Amino acid sequence: MEEEELQKAVYAYLRKKGFRQTELVLQEEQNRLSSSAQSDLAVSRLDNDPARYHDGYSKLRSWAYSSLDLYKHELLRVLYPVFIHCFMDLVAEEHMQEARTFFHTFREDHELMHLRDLQKLEGILSPSHLEEMELARSLRQNKVKIKLCEYSYDLLLQYLQKTQSVTMLGIINEHINFEVSAGQPSSISDDVDVVALVGSSQDIAKQINQKEVRWGLLEDSVEERLERPVSDSEKPEGENKEVDPEDSKQKRSVEGGKQGVSVKKLKKDKLVGATGKNIRSETSTVSIAPRVKPELTLPVMTTEVEQSILEDLRNRVQLSSLALPSISFYTFINAHNSLNCSSISHDGSLVAGGFSDSSLKVWDMSKIGRPTKTSNSQGENESVESEHLLGLEEGKRSYTLFQGHAGPVYSATFSPFGDFLLSSSSDSTIRLWSTKLNSNLVCYKGHNYPVWDVQFSPVGHYFASCSHDRTARIWSMERIQPLRIMAGHLSDVDCVQWHANCNYIATGSSDKTVRLWDVQSGECVRIFIGHRSMVLSLAMSPDGRYMASGDEDGTIMMWDLSSGRCVSPLMGHNSCVWTLAFSCEGTLLASGSADCTVKLWDVTASMKVPRMEENKASSTNRLRLLKALPTKSTPVYTLRFSRRNLLFAAGGLSKQA
């Protein structure tokens, strides 16, 4: 009202003084300003119109699907990030009904590749959920990297300029980074990391992956020591020295004795020769790996343990695509869906299970089937003995109950020699148990949230853990505080695995990436981008050069640690890949899944293809599936190759499977 009164007063003054021309000019200016304000209001209403997201995305979608087949699969990559940001922008502007309609209209286009993310985003019902939900917050704060060839990129720019779609242009500029490459478009099967969530800078992963990774094996390993006596015994002088006393001794025996001993000796020589060949062939893949010095102070190995390992290595079975492993499968029955994890000792003699009721149970395979009265062992008290009867109705199985956690047990792992057991829980603690004393030794506190996984190092003594707090930590058995904290993932760290030389650990995360960390410095030295869902399992090859990772969608990827590139992606499972394991000589990869199957893959044959055809777009660089082994209705929780190359597996019987 004050402005109107002021205008009236100005007009009255101009008329009183006779300034007619000035009054007309002022009125024209006032009318022009009011019409401009009305047009601005119309534009602002158009900008706030929720229909602009639906129209803009629908036109972009129609254009992408109608483009040339050669470039269509590249242009379609743009649709998913535009789709989710259109939806989240509608929610942020509080157009909830329009957001739900938009989401359900176009979600079918993306269900094949992004079903897990869509199921989470569907739960966004208000603007506050965008801040509370971790996935939505991560998508809005970080940019998506998309690889396009130069011509596809030019086609997209021409479309945006022609249509003048301000909304789509704004979303693409704000949330997508394009990596434009010259030449022909990449094929879908050849390049798996064409769409990936990156941090604030798309060059971070490239910079990190340029760091040096010393992927070789430790100097003076047990395998190296094993070859020395074999090579000495194969020398002619050594053989003659061993044979001569035998011959002189047998000369003093009767004639019939000579015949028998010569036959026995012949068999023994054949056996030793076969064993020598076996050892050489097994270690050949490992012996070519470079040798590195340990960055951690390694524990001293006792003579008894070393002799036990050497004995296992001498009796190791050589596996290949023509000689598949024997498999021993342990099935948990009557678990009533409360089994969260399982672990098997190196020789398969002990099997552990972690349960939702916060308990950890260990079965001794040598006592299975024996009467409970004969299962007494020194160190087990009456309370533990009673649990043997209460744990299972029939009382035929003996197990040792470990209690101490205050929440569900999510991970368990045996030490390399089976004398210790680690467990992690939702109570944010890690506990160390003695399998000989049947008691809890240490409770490690450091994580702030549930600990999803814990793994002993290949030499024991050290272990690594990962948690909902987005960190991984390295511990020593003798210290209650972590030695290193690895931070950098954008979401939960779901799995952790040690490198064969103990100088690195790998972590898989819900942010769909795998990272490799230097144990000494705590720095990230590799980021592996390519998975389309959370990474649930990891395995390192025995020679330390390759790493396998499995995700929630059933995809397994083989990575080259030196280059950081995916060597061989493979699709074989149709559900979560919960466990992976390499055979001892690295020729086979075993995978276990929630689809109730164990699959064996030929590693050596597939590694030759990418080196020869590294720059060619072909789908031949996938691991060759050797065998699929279905269980009746048991999801596979864990896999482990023994030192003799027997494959152990475990899982809980599921009625829903």
Side-chain angles (χ1 to χ4, degrees):
M1 290 295 294
E2 293 181 0
E3 288 186 5
E4 292 181 2
E5 292 175 358
L6 182 61
Q7 287 177 4
K8 289 179 180 179
V10 170
Y11 289 144
Y13 175 79
L14 292 174
R15 280 193 293 270
K16 182 179 178 182
K17 294 293 183 181
F19 298 144
R20 180 65 182 168
Q21 191 69 27
T22 306
E23 183 182 357
L24 293 174
V25 171
L26 184 61
Q27 285 180 348
E28 288 179 4
E29 182 68 19
Q30 189 66 32
N31 292 334
R32 189 180 65 79
L33 288 174
S34 62
S35 63
S36 175
Q38 289 177 357
S39 63
D40 289 344
L41 181 61
V43 170
S44 65
R45 284 177 181 173
L46 183 63
D47 286 343
N48 290 327
D49 183 13
R52 72 187 189 278
Y53 290 102
H54 189 286
D55 295 341
Y57 179 79
S58 180
K59 291 176 181 177
L60 177 64
R61 175 179 177 273
S62 301
W63 171 79
Y65 274 103
S66 62
S67 57
L68 292 173
D69 289 343
L70 183 61
Y71 306 102
K72 182 191 292 186
H73 70 273
E74 283 201 334
L75 296 172
L76 290 177
R77 295 170 189 163
V78 182
L79 294 183
Y80 176 67
V82 173
F83 166 74
I84 56 177
H85 284 291
C86 283
F87 168 69
M88 290 191 291
D89 286 354
L90 282 169
V91 174
E93 294 173 9
E94 299 185 356
H95 302 300
M96 297 311 304
Q97 186 58 43
E98 291 82 357
R100 306 311 302 170
T101 304
F102 175 83
F103 187 84
H104 290 294
T105 302
F106 299 110
R107 72 169 285 170
E108 189 177 352
D109 294 343
H110 312 289
E111 283 184 343
L112 181 63
M113 300 301 297
H114 304 282
L115 179 60
R116 306 284 180 182
D117 287 352
L118 294 177
Q119 289 172 342
K120 294 177 182 177
L121 292 172
E122 195 173 13
I124 297 177
L125 302 175
S126 68
S128 62
H129 291 173
L130 294 174
E131 295 299 323
E132 295 169 3
M133 183 178 290
E134 190 174 344
L135 174 63
R137 193 167 62 248
S138 177
L139 289 170
R140 288 171 71 83
Q141 292 175 355
N142 300 288
K143 286 193 173 185
V144 172
K145 181 189 74 175
I146 296 180
K147 289 185 179 180
L148 295 178
C149 75
E150 201 168 354
Y151 191 72
S152 297
Y153 184 67
D154 290 340
L155 286 175
L156 180 63
L157 290 181
Q158 290 173 15
Y159 167 79
L160 293 173
Q161 291 171 358
K162 181 180 178 181
T163 57
Q164 293 293 312
S165 180
V166 179
T167 305
M168 296 298 103
L169 185 62
I171 289 175
I172 290 173
N173 281 333
E174 187 177 355
H175 299 291
I176 299 178
N177 274 333
F178 290 104
E179 186 173 316
V180 182
S181 58
Q184 294 295 314
S186 60
S187 71
I188 301 173
S189 60
D190 186 58
D191 202 354
V192 295
D193 57 338
V194 289
V195 181
L197 185 68
V198 296
S200 56
S201 172
Q202 70 180 104
D203 297 325
I204 291 178
K206 284 187 176 180
Q207 293 173 0
I208 290 176
N209 288 353
Q210 290 174 354
K211 296 180 181 179
E212 183 185 4
V213 172
R214 304 183 67 190
W215 54 268
L217 300 179
L218 290 176
E219 296 176 344
D220 195 30
S221 63
V222 180
E223 287 81 357
E224 278 187 311
R225 285 178 238 164
L226 176 63
E227 288 186 310
R228 292 171 193 165
V230 172
S231 58
D232 293 337
S233 64
E234 288 178 349
K235 294 178 182 178
E237 295 83 4
E239 284 185 353
N240 292 335
K241 288 178 183 177
E242 287 182 9
V243 172
D244 286 342
E246 287 289 324
D247 289 343
S248 61
K249 191 180 290 184
Q250 295 305 325
K251 283 178 182 177
R252 293 193 292 269
S253 64
V254 296
E255 292 292 327
K258 288 183 182 179
Q259 185 84 13
V261 170
S262 63
V263 173
K264 288 181 182 177
K265 185 182 179 305
L266 184 63
K267 290 181 179 178
K268 182 180 178 182
D269 288 344
K270 286 183 178 179
L271 182 61
V272 172
T275 307
K277 289 179 183 177
N278 195 17
I279 292 166
R280 284 195 299 275
S281 62
E282 287 172 16
T283 54
S284 61
T285 56
V286 176
S287 60
I288 60 174
R291 302 292 159 170
V292 298
K293 293 183 179 180
E295 295 181 359
L296 295 172
T297 304
L298 301 183
V300 178
M301 190 180 297
T302 63
T303 306
E304 292 180 1
V305 170
E306 185 175 339
Q307 289 299 323
S308 173
I309 295 175
L310 288 171
E311 183 66 24
D312 287 338
L313 295 179
R314 289 191 187 98
N315 292 290
R316 178 182 290 173
V317 178
Q318 176 68 16
L319 300 180
S320 68
S321 58
L322 301 176
L324 300 181
S326 299
I327 303 179
S328 177
F329 198 105
Y330 300 119
T331 303
F332 290 81
I333 60 172
N334 300 327
H336 306 295
N337 295 324
S338 65
L339 179 70
N340 294 328
C341 63
S342 63
S343 181
I344 305 171
S345 62
H346 70 93
D347 58 356
S349 61
L350 298 175
V351 178
F355 294 86
S356 297
D357 62 359
S358 76
S359 67
L360 180 69
K361 297 174 183 177
V362 178
W363 281 262
D364 188 339
M365 293 298 104
S366 64
K367 297 176 183 177
I368 296 295
R370 292 186 183 181
T372 50
K373 62 180 181 180
T374 62
S375 63
N376 295 348
S377 61
Q378 199 167 3
E380 291 182 359
N381 54 31
E382 291 183 4
S383 63
V384 172
E385 196 63 33
S386 65
E387 287 296 332
H388 290 175
L389 296 171
L390 294 174
L392 292 167
E393 297 173 1
E394 299 175 1
K396 292 181 180 178
R397 292 191 182 180
S398 58
Y399 65 85
T400 304
L401 177 67
F402 293 116
Q403 287 182 315
H405 284 295
V409 179
Y410 290 130
S411 178
T413 178
F414 284 98
S415 64
F417 315 119
D419 46 353
F420 297 105
L421 176 65
L422 281 169
S423 61
S424 65
S425 168
S426 67
D427 63 9
S428 74
T429 66
I430 304 161
R431 288 183 179 266
L432 178 70
W433 312 84
S434 170
T435 56
K436 294 181 179 178
L437 302 176
N438 294 335
S439 61
N440 181 222
L441 302 179
V442 190
C443 179
Y444 301 95
K445 298 179 180 179
H447 288 289
N448 302 317
Y449 291 96
V451 184
W452 301 129
D453 194 17
V454 63
Q455 292 293 329
F456 261 113
S457 72
V459 296
H461 189 70
Y462 300 101
F463 60 93
S465 62
C466 59
S467 167
H468 176 60
D469 61 16
R470 305 181 187 182
T471 67
R473 303 181 188 223
I474 295 175
W475 310 73
S476 170
M477 287 172 58
E478 61 190 13
R479 302 193 179 198
I480 60 172
Q481 296 297 327
L483 305 178
R484 294 286 184 276
I485 299 177
M486 281 74 171
H489 279 293
L490 303 176
S491 186
D492 290 39
V493 187
D494 299 300
C495 55
V496 64
Q497 189 60 257
W498 285 83
H499 190 270
N501 62 21
C502 300
N503 291 339
Y504 303 96
I505 65 166
T507 54
S509 169
S510 293
D511 65 11
K512 307 174 188 177
T513 67
V514 181
R515 291 179 181 241
L516 189 71
W517 308 84
D518 188 303
V519 167
Q520 185 62 33
S521 64
E523 293 182 353
C524 178
V525 294
R526 286 289 182 274
I527 299 180
F528 304 95
I529 299 174
H531 283 285
R532 297 185 181 274
S533 59
M534 59 192 294
V535 182
L536 299 175
S537 55
L538 296 167
M540 292 285 183
S541 64
D543 64 355
R545 179 170 183 178
Y546 299 104
M547 174 182 68
S549 57
D551 65 23
E552 193 177 19
D553 291 337
T555 303
I556 302 171
M557 293 188 178
M558 187 77 71
W559 307 92
D560 187 333
L561 297 186
S562 57
S563 67
R565 290 185 61 84
C566 178
V567 175
S568 191
L570 63 122
M571 285 76 170
H573 293 287
N574 52 33
S575 189
C576 310
V577 179
W578 280 335
T579 178
L580 294 165
F582 279 95
S583 61
C584 295
E585 71 288 327
T587 57
L588 300 180
L589 174 68
S591 59
S593 169
D595 63 10
C596 303
T597 61
V598 175
K599 293 182 185 287
L600 299 174
W601 309 87
D602 185 2
V603 175
T604 51
S606 61
M607 291 308 171
K608 300 173 184 176
V609 179
R611 296 194 192 105
M612 294 185 295
E613 302 181 6
E614 193 171 359
N615 298 321
K616 293 183 181 179
S618 66
S619 59
T620 58
N621 61 341
R622 295 178 182 272
L623 289 176
R624 183 162 66 96
L625 177 62
L626 296 175
K627 196 167 188 178
L629 301 157
T631 64
K632 194 172 265 187
S633 59
T634 304
V636 185
Y637 282 30
T638 187
L639 291 169
R640 182 176 189 134
F641 277 96
S642 72
R643 285 193 283 262
R644 300 191 182 194
N645 259 342
L646 173 64
L647 179 57
F648 295 108
L653 186 67
S654 174
K655 294 180 181 178
Q656 288 81 7

